[in-house]
């Protein structure tokens, strides 16, 4: 276990203990310091058409109502990840018929990005950039979740391998390998994409 | 997506570690040394860095609101009624979806039925959703009049199409709107189902 992981677990354990004792500020601190990566987990595992924000609200509710069930106070992060996974799985079970509830202002999967009003070179470059990012993101969504998850965690919070390793309960070398493999998969998929020329153009 | 996984090369791992700021000085030196012989490595590194930056920006934008979700204000949060209860098909679809997404969405979906014109079963053919609704009489008025209600129009719901004697078509539809509020005051008692209880 790295020093970073040990510090993190000690911090979490202390906050969990205080939160269980009724300290609301400790509970909030615990949530605020972890919610970004929780959002990454949700993003990696959510069913399509389910809003990340709604799932995060479910997770938040569970954190309050289930904190007493956490056996090992030092294992708060894996426990929290499991809650996030359960929320996503629950949503997947109940959402066989597709019903979009999203109010996201960002493009949904498969949607094109609306160009800005300006027809300037800068405007077109912005569109190209956003379109390339959207295509890349769609490829990430199609990755197996064990690869998408650490990759999105890196993107959301620039988490270190040690931090990701602690949450996913996997060796650091596995995290490293999965990230490299995820990037290879993306490269292969993007090079097979008929529109990939735009991506490669600014390399 | 590719299922076959050939082993990763040392260079692939190295580039990935550099993108993630995990490479140490020795590894960076190794990569640049190799790139001296094979400039394609620079291109691969630049491409990987650019992809990561693009992806990060896109993901950050996608979850901008989600990463600011706070804990509910109160410790005990009332949950919505079970999705196993019997209900009409249209409501069932919406309700099951909402139940999986959480209490906020439960409210949102129930609110769909506010303001709907319950047109009645004219000709016995109308596909009018009937069933669960929010009992406005027991919801604190301020909750449904909050400024943070987010509305989103949905496609009109077709009720009936009928050809008239003159050859034209009569099409009945219902306007729908999806509204959403976030509150810590939700009470399952708001949701009424006429098929279960006599009001």
């Amino acid at each position: 276990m790295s020093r970073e992981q040990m510090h993190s677990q000690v911090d979490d354990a202390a906050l969990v203990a205080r939160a269980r004792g009724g300290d609301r500020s400790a509970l909030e601190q615990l949530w605020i310091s972890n919610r970004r990566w929780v959002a990454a987990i949700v993003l990696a595992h959510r069913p399509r058409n389910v809003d990340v924000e709604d799932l995060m609200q479910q997770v938040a509710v569970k954190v309050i109502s289930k904190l007493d069930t956490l056996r090992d106070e030092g294992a708060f992060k894996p426990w929290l990840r499991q809650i996030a996974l359960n929320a996503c799985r629950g949503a997947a079970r109940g959402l066989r018929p597709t019903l979009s509830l999203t109010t996201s202002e960002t493009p949904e999967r498969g949607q094109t990005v609306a160009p800005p009003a300006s027809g300037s070179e800068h405007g077109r470059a912005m569109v190209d950039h956003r379109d390339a990012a959207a295509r890349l993101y769609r490829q990430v969504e199609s990755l197996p979740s064990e690869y998408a998850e650490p990759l999105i965690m890196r993107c959301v919070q620039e988490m270190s391998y040690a931090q990701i390793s602690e949450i996913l309960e996997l060796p650091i070398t596995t995290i490293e390998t999965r990230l490299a493999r995820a990037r290879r998969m993306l490269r292969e998929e993007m090079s097979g994409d008929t529109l990939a020329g735009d991506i490669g153009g600014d390399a | 997506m590719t299922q076959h996984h050939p082993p990763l090369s040392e260079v692939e791992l190295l580039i990935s570690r550099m993108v993630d700021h995990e490479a140490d000085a020795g590894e960076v030196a190794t990569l640049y040394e190799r790139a001296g012989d094979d400039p394609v490595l620079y291109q691969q590194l630049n491409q990987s860095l650019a992809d990561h930056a693009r992806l990060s920006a896109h993901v950050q934008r996608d979850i901008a609101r989600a990463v600011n979700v706070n804990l509910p204000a109160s410790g005990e949060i009332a949950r919505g009624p079970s999705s196993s209860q019997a209900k009409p098909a249209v409501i069932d679809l919406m309700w099951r979806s909402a139940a999986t997404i959480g209490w906020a969405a439960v409210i949102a979906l129930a609110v769909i039925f506010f303001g709907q014109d319950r047109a009645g079963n004219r000709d016995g053919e109308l596909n009018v959703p009937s069933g669960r609704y929010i009992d406005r009489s027991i919801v604190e008025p301020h909750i449904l009049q909050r400024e943070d209600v987010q509305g989103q129009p949905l496609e009109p719901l077709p009720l009936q199409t009928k050809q008239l004697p003159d050859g034209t078509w009569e099409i009945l539809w219902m306007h729908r709107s999806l509204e959403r509020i976030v509150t810590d005051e939700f009470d399952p008692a708001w949701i009424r189902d006429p098929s279960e209880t006599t009001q």
Side-chain angles (χ1 to χ4, degrees):
Chain A
M1 182 183 294
S2 70
R3 186 178 300 174
E4 188 178 17
Q5 285 173 304
M6 287 178 63
H7 278 303
S8 169
Q9 287 188 6
V10 169
D11 290 346
D12 283 349
L15 287 171
V16 168
R18 282 171 50 200
R20 281 174 155 172
D23 185 340
R24 174 76 191 188
S25 68
L27 184 62
E28 288 182 348
Q29 197 179 332
L30 205 51
W31 173 248
I32 289 169
S33 63
N34 287 284
R35 64 185 174 185
R36 286 189 74 84
W37 68 256
V38 174
I41 301 288
V42 168
L43 192 60
H45 291 274
R46 68 168 175 158
R48 296 188 177 209
N49 296 328
V50 174
D51 193 12
V52 178
E53 191 180 359
D54 286 325
L55 289 169
M56 286 291 286
Q57 283 166 350
Q58 276 194 23
V59 175
V61 169
K62 287 285 184 188
V63 166
I64 287 184
S65 62
K66 300 287 185 186
L67 191 61
D68 281 345
T69 68
L70 173 59
R71 291 178 185 171
D72 177 5
E73 292 176 349
F76 175 74
K77 283 184 168 69
W79 175 83
L80 184 53
R81 174 177 176 261
Q82 196 56 51
I83 287 181
L85 290 179
N86 289 344
C88 294
R89 288 171 187 154
R93 278 195 299 274
L95 267 187
R96 296 279 152 67
T98 301
L99 174 63
S100 175
L101 291 171
T102 184
T103 56
S104 171
E105 293 166 5
T106 57
E108 267 304 299
R109 298 164 174 84
Q111 279 189 310
T112 53
V113 181
S118 165
S120 66
E121 283 297 318
H122 176 68
R124 278 192 290 278
M126 291 257 309
V127 170
D128 287 345
H129 181 82
R130 288 166 57 187
D131 201 26
R135 287 203 305 273
L136 194 59
Y137 182 57
R138 285 197 295 275
Q139 297 294 347
V140 172
E141 287 184 310
S142 66
L143 287 176
S145 59
E146 66 262 35
Y147 297 105
E149 192 175 36
L151 191 58
I152 293 178
M153 289 170 88
R154 276 289 307 160
C155 292
V156 168
Q157 204 171 13
E158 294 286 308
M159 299 179 82
S160 69
Y161 290 176
Q163 290 172 319
I164 297 173
S165 153
E166 179 193 354
I167 293 165
L168 301 186
E169 295 184 289
L170 290 169
I172 290 176
T173 50
T174 304
I175 302 302
E176 176 182 355
T177 305
R178 287 190 181 179
L179 283 164
R181 209 174 279 289
R183 292 186 169 115
R184 176 199 274 181
M185 289 175 175
L186 289 181
R187 269 198 316 275
E188 290 173 352
E189 292 297 321
M190 294 303 282
S191 66
D193 190 329
T194 53
L195 298 174
D198 293 346
I199 301 283
D202 57 359
Chain B
M1 187 58 61
T2 308
Q3 294 300 318
H4 177 59
H5 300 310
L8 291 162
S9 69
E10 188 183 347
V11 166
E12 279 179 299
L13 281 169
L14 209 46
I15 287 177
S16 189
R17 287 175 61 79
M18 285 184 72
V19 170
D20 292 331
H21 309 296
E22 294 274 350
D24 59 32
E27 290 173 318
V28 172
T30 299
L31 185 71
Y32 285 141
E33 187 181 321
R34 291 193 179 194
D37 298 329
D38 184 4
V40 172
L41 294 184
Y42 282 123
Q43 189 182 347
Q44 288 178 5
L45 176 61
N46 286 340
Q47 183 68 61
S48 296
L49 288 167
D51 284 350
H52 182 72
R54 281 195 189 99
L55 195 55
S56 295
H58 189 87
V59 167
Q60 299 278 2
R61 207 175 63 236
D62 212 28
I63 60 167
R65 289 198 314 260
V67 295
N68 289 317
V69 166
N70 289 312
L71 293 173
S74 61
E76 293 291 326
I77 305 300
R79 308 305 308 273
S82 164
S83 61
S84 62
Q85 295 166 337
K87 42 201 154 306
V90 173
I91 302 299
D92 181 55
L93 171 63
M94 294 179 177
W95 188 259
R96 275 188 288 123
S97 303
T100 60
I101 290 168
W103 50 273
V106 168
I107 297 173
L109 287 178
V111 170
I112 290 172
F113 295 98
F114 280 172
Q116 278 189 349
D117 177 15
R118 300 192 180 273
N121 291 329
R122 217 175 77 182
D123 298 333
E125 299 290 334
L126 300 185
N127 178 30
V128 178
S130 61
R132 291 180 192 279
Y133 63 97
I134 290 182
D135 186 346
R136 303 176 86 157
S137 67
I138 61 171
V139 180
E140 290 291 330
H142 72 273
I143 293 173
L144 300 175
Q145 293 169 0
R146 289 165 58 152
E147 292 180 354
D148 59 351
V149 168
Q150 298 170 26
Q152 180 177 338
L154 301 175
E155 294 303 313
L157 184 67
L159 303 177
Q160 176 180 270
T161 58
K162 185 169 69 177
Q163 192 162 27
L164 301 177
D166 63 0
T168 57
W169 285 84
E170 178 188 72
I171 303 161
L172 293 179
W173 72 87
M174 180 185 289
H175 286 291
R176 300 181 296 166
S177 67
L178 178 65
E179 294 187 350
R180 176 178 188 277
I181 59 171
V182 176
T183 178
D184 54 13
E185 299 176 73
F186 177 55
D187 181 344
W190 295 355
I191 310 297
R192 293 293 175 89
D193 187 337
S195 68
E196 293 173 1
T197 57
T198 48
Q199 304 290 306

